[in-house]
Amino acid sequence: MRMLKTLAWVMLALLAVDVLMGFFLVTDDGQPAIDAPTLLPLIMVAALATLVAFGYAPFGARAAWRKPAGREPVHAVLDGEGFRHEGLSGSQSFTWSVATRALETNEAYYVYISNGLASLVYWLPKRAVPLGDQAAVRAHLQAHIPRYQIR
């Protein structure tokens, strides 16, 4: 993923140079070196590269938990220090101080961790939480994360 983001940043830089040169350079007859039909595909590629470079965390997290690999058994612990989870693909933990916001949907709880320009998203599928414990999970997240949304 890091290589893909690096490639996206390089592509954005090259596209910016190309577009700027197109506007500032002119042909022999005084017309801009780049015209609108040439510029439109460059803008579309730049938009796609921007999404890859900056990340689109909510889409990635929601799509990832629907994949079979995201349906592995997981053991999650929410306590006063933070959130930890362990699964077949590894384990992860974070403290509450790094969580910037949380979102609850019908399918899962999402906790957003700021990572510079983008956000990391940790999710806990509701199907993994017993029905009687969901209110306690909601209360725990609301107590530790200032921006909590229910959607």
Side-chain angles (χ1 to χ4, degrees):
M1 188 67 172
R2 179 171 284 198
M3 180 64 100
L4 184 63
K5 283 194 175 198
T6 303
L7 180 64
W9 278 105
V10 169
M11 186 183 301
L12 277 174
L14 291 175
L15 287 169
V17 168
D18 187 35
V19 169
L20 289 173
M21 285 179 61
F23 278 116
F24 292 114
L25 295 178
V26 292
T27 59
D28 292 339
D29 60 355
Q31 295 296 322
I34 193 167
D35 55 353
T38 307
L39 184 61
L40 187 60
L42 292 175
I43 291 173
M44 291 171 52
V45 169
L48 180 63
T50 302
L51 281 177
V52 172
F54 289 112
Y56 189 61
F59 175 77
R62 290 190 182 128
W65 85 268
R66 290 184 178 99
K67 295 178 184 175
R71 294 183 181 263
E72 66 185 29
V74 72
H75 175 73
V77 176
L78 283 80
D79 58 20
E81 295 176 17
F83 175 85
R84 294 183 307 280
H85 74 271
E86 299 173 354
L88 297 175
S89 61
S91 63
Q92 187 66 40
S93 65
F94 67 90
T95 61
W96 293 119
S97 62
V98 297
T100 56
R101 70 184 183 104
L103 173 68
E104 178 183 345
T105 66
N106 292 336
E107 297 90 17
Y109 302 95
Y110 299 93
V111 179
Y112 294 82
I113 309 298
S114 180
N115 184 19
L117 297 174
S119 292
L120 300 173
V121 180
Y122 293 97
W123 72 94
L124 177 63
K126 283 191 170 180
R127 69 185 180 292
V129 179
L131 200 55
D133 293 341
Q134 289 186 6
V137 169
R138 180 182 302 119
H140 206 74
L141 291 174
Q142 286 174 333
H144 294 286
I145 302 172
R147 292 177 47 207
Y148 187 86
Q149 267 184 314
I150 298 176
R151 192 184 310 171

